[in-house]
Amino acid sequence: MAETTTDRSAGARTSPMDAVRQHLAGWSAAQKTLAIIGAAVLALGGYALYHFMSQPSMAPVYTGLAPEDSSEIVEQLRADGVPYELASGGSTVLVPEEQVYEARIQAASAGLPASTRGGYGLLDDMGVTSSDFQQTATYKRALEGELASTVEGFSSVQTAAVILSLPEETVFSDAQQDATASIFMDPAPGTVITDNQVQSVIQLVSGAVDGLQPQNVAVVDADGGMLAAVGDSPSGSGAGAAAEYEERVAESVQAMLDTVVGRGNSTVAVTADVNPESAERLEETFEAPDEVPALRESSSSENYTGTGGGAAGVLGPDNIAVPGGGDGEGTYTAETEELENAINKVTETTTVPAGALNSQSISVAVDEGAAAGLDMPVLTAMVTDAAGLSDERGDALNVSIVPFSTADAEAAEEALAEAEAQAAAEAEREQFQQILTSAIIAGVLLLLLLAALLILRRRKKQEAEELEDLGESYPYEALGAPPAAAAEQPGAIPPPPAGAAALPPSDHGPAGDDGGAADPGDEESVQRRAELNALAAQDPERMAEHLRALMDEEAAKA
């Protein structure tokens, strides 16, 4: 009996790890599998969350770098232990946002970025023995580098390059050629270079180069698109001006028609003849002012009187001279007057830019279903005024009422119905997935709850079995003692509750005195077990304290 008690006492003092192992050993294979899956999911989720939260916010420290500069800056960052990332094909270096300025200072102290495409810094390296060709070429490279750096200052431009063609100066003006320039621009990610920005770049470059006219500048983008061609006016090409004008007029007329006949019941087509060339026109007008005194005035007179020769005859009928008097004397008088009057002179010089409208034609089609009840002359007058048509230019307008095709509308309705069906199916699929996910989660939680209940039940069963074993192994003389005696003895078991049958004195002495063991089938053992269960149900905490005290005493005796 003592040996059994000793084993029970040692089991009661098991470590928490041993208790966990005992509980895990009682799990089924399904419970263990669910526990492993749950632990793996929690571990992966925690790692992903930690990895995401630990990633620093990156910011560019340099952009538009040459490959050699990127390599040197990366080596510098590695030496300093600064994490980095490369973007835009290696031309952009990213570092943690809080280390951007420090990385720039470190790179600048190391002389990075070192490579350069030009700039006026090239002139500092020129020696006194440089030839005229070297000086001219270096100056051209320096000017191109400065212009490219300036163009890259635009927010929508990531990379720029400028190539200049500067002809040699000559004393013969007829042989002097015009300077030209070519500009390459790569737009920044997510941006578009607008026409206004292209014209700004053209004006910037042409104004910085002596003798370079804006129409002699060509601009291309990274995709090979022509943004501006040589020969175009500063305001853009004639084709671009025509397209812009046609779009503006069409939008204006279409907006008016949508209000009158409804959206989708009309269409507008505009064709504009735009002058693609710029010109200058000189006009001079002369007008005589009224009641204005002459600027200068001069007069002269001449008188002559004398004799000699025959007397001068007098013209008679039919212009035949008739002899006059016989004395032969005559007189001569002449007067001359010169006036210089003021004349108004008006000189007008008119510059006709490219894109001037020569003529336009507009065609308007209205659906016959929507045109019912419309006054066509009124509608024609409205379109004429909205488009700014002029008979002097020879503008043309055609307004027609025709039946519109419904094929596109039907196709759109079918596409809309199909899209709605797909959206409904997708919504049902998502709802089913949500329900399935909720069911899986509920099932997992139910399995965990069942596992917890099974563990709790098994634990209670083990505790009950331990109590039964203790009731059979330990003496119960203290249970029949009076309350005062039981209270005086530390660690003694209190008397049974009211209503419980009193225990008869035990015929056996302390455990191990007679070397016998309690018979589980004996009526006395059954009665003791029942009384012990009743006492444990009334005051389990106190019962547990007394049981621990008895276990300690038996362990000490053993």
Side-chain angles (χ1 to χ4, degrees), residues 74-98:
V74 166
E75 293 296 334
Q76 179 70 26
L77 294 176
R78 289 177 179 174
D80 296 338
V82 178
Y84 67 91
E85 292 181 2
L86 296 177
S88 301
S91 61
T92 300
V93 180
L94 305 173
V95 298
E97 188 174 359
E98 62 275 7

Side-chain angles (χ1 to χ4, degrees), residues 298-522:
S298 63
S299 63
S300 63
S301 63
E302 182 180 356
N303 296 323
Y304 176 76
T305 303
T307 60
V314 180
L315 294 176
D318 300 328
N319 293 331
I320 300 174
V322 179
D327 54 1
E329 294 182 0
T331 61
Y332 172 77
T333 303
E335 293 182 359
T336 303
E337 183 178 4
E338 294 182 359
L339 298 176
E340 184 178 352
N341 297 321
I343 299 177
N344 294 336
K345 178 181 179 182
V346 179
T347 302
E348 294 182 356
T349 302
T350 304
T351 301
V352 181
L357 180 63
N358 296 329
S359 63
Q360 62 176 335
S361 60
I362 300 177
S363 178
V364 178
V366 182
D367 186 15
E368 62 180 3
L374 289 178
D375 191 350
M376 294 307 300
V378 174
L379 182 63
T380 303
M382 293 172 61
V383 174
T384 301
D385 295 338
L389 299 179
S390 174
D391 296 335
E392 297 178 356
R393 290 196 304 259
D395 297 342
L397 173 63
N398 181 19
V399 179
S400 303
I401 298 177
V402 294
F404 278 19
S405 174
T406 60
D408 294 339
E410 294 175 356
E413 291 180 357
E414 293 178 359
L416 181 60
E418 184 178 356
E420 291 179 353
Q422 291 180 356
E426 186 67 22
E428 293 178 358
R429 188 181 301 107
E430 291 180 357
Q431 185 178 6
F432 175 75
Q433 290 179 354
Q434 292 179 357
I435 294 175
L436 182 60
T437 303
S438 301
I440 294 174
I441 294 175
V444 172
L445 294 177
L446 182 60
L447 290 177
L448 294 177
L449 180 60
L450 292 176
L453 292 177
L454 290 176
I455 294 173
L456 182 61
R457 183 178 178 182
R458 178 170 296 182
R459 182 175 180 181
K460 289 183 177 180
K461 185 177 180 181
Q462 291 178 355
E463 291 178 354
E465 292 177 354
E466 291 178 357
L467 290 176
E468 293 178 0
D469 294 340
L470 289 174
E472 297 176 358
S473 303
Y474 294 101
Y476 291 92
E477 288 78 1
L479 294 176
E488 293 176 358
Q489 297 177 3
I493 300 177
L503 291 175
S506 177
D507 296 334
H508 302 280
D513 291 346
D514 55 357
D519 185 5
D522 189 28

